[in-house]
Amino acid sequence: MTDLSFIALSCGLIIGLGAIGACLGIAIMGGKYLEAAARQPELINVLQTKVFLLAGLIDAAFLIGVGIAMLFAFANPFIIR
């Protein structure tokens, strides 16, 4: 295997594992939100604000991982030219 194939493999792992983590995090948070809203309907507005804020933060963490993977793919700082 060449250096380029290891770079492609690492980029795929960064993006794939980040996507799985973000999906699982948002799914668990959404389920807990529905449970909390069913138990105390008067708190739906407060909880909804926090859910959207946390969903954005979880998604931002995944997009940072995608940005790092793109850095490795297109402008790899580890290859000396």
Side-chain angles (χ1 to χ4, degrees):
M1 294 181 78
T2 64
D3 289 339
L4 189 61
S5 61
F6 283 124
I7 292 169
L9 183 64
S10 65
C11 290
L13 285 174
I14 289 171
I15 293 172
L17 293 176
I20 290 171
C23 290
L24 288 175
I26 289 177
I28 291 170
M29 183 184 60
K32 297 293 182 180
Y33 166 70
L34 289 176
E35 288 177 14
R39 288 184 184 182
Q40 295 184 342
E42 65 272 5
L43 294 178
I44 288 178
N45 291 332
V46 175
L47 292 173
Q48 186 176 22
T49 303
K50 292 179 182 179
V51 165
F52 284 132
L53 179 67
L54 288 173
L57 290 174
I58 291 170
D59 212 24
F62 166 65
L63 290 177
I64 289 170
V66 169
I68 291 171
M70 293 299 113
L71 172 71
F72 290 155
F74 297 115
N76 193 350
F78 299 117
I79 294 179
I80 298 172
R81 294 184 181 139

